[in-house]
Amino acid sequence: MIFKVVGIVSLSLFTLKRDNTMPKAQLTKAYIEANKLTITKQHEVTDIQEHALRAIFYANKVSYVARVFWQTKRFYLSIGTYPYIPLPKARQLAAQF
């Protein structure tokens, strides 16, 4: 009887739904400025306008990365950091990648 209860408990731990979707947002200068000051740990946001562009927020900087999947492989290109690379230029470079 104890084994069945433990089995049910462990099964319920694995069946919890996890939301692994990456957050998507319209990346703007105001959005980046507002979020870069409140970051305590690294997270990544996908741009709605250019789907290959990702902004990775760190505690002390924001980096732009272009990331695509092709034939089950992941390819990425480091574009640069905010504010040295303006957002329109980052979108243009991500689109070319």
Side-chain angles (χ1 to χ4, degrees):
M1 190 72 159
I2 294 173
F3 295 112
K4 290 182 181 180
V5 172
V6 171
I8 292 170
V9 170
S10 64
L11 178 63
S12 67
L13 291 176
F14 290 111
T15 58
L16 292 176
K17 184 177 180 181
R18 293 179 55 194
D19 187 17
N20 289 333
T21 58
M22 187 179 311
K24 296 181 181 181
Q26 178 69 38
L27 290 178
T28 60
K29 185 177 179 179
Y31 179 85
I32 292 171
E33 287 291 334
N35 285 316
K36 80 175 189 176
L37 300 175
T38 60
I39 299 303
T40 57
K41 66 177 189 175
Q42 174 184 336
H43 77 277
E44 186 172 322
V45 178
T46 303
D47 187 26
I48 292 175
Q49 190 172 344
E50 177 55 54
H51 297 289
L53 180 65
R54 270 62 161 164
I56 303 175
F57 291 86
Y58 299 98
N60 58 349
K61 68 178 180 175
V62 178
S63 294
Y64 296 124
V65 175
R67 183 173 295 155
V68 294
F69 294 94
W70 187 64
Q71 293 184 350
T72 68
K73 294 181 183 176
R74 183 183 306 181
F75 298 93
Y76 71 95
L77 171 71
S78 179
I79 295 173
T81 59
Y82 176 83
Y84 301 110
I85 303 289
L87 188 57
K89 182 69 174 175
R91 281 194 179 115
Q92 178 187 10
L93 292 171
Q96 290 174 359
F97 180 65

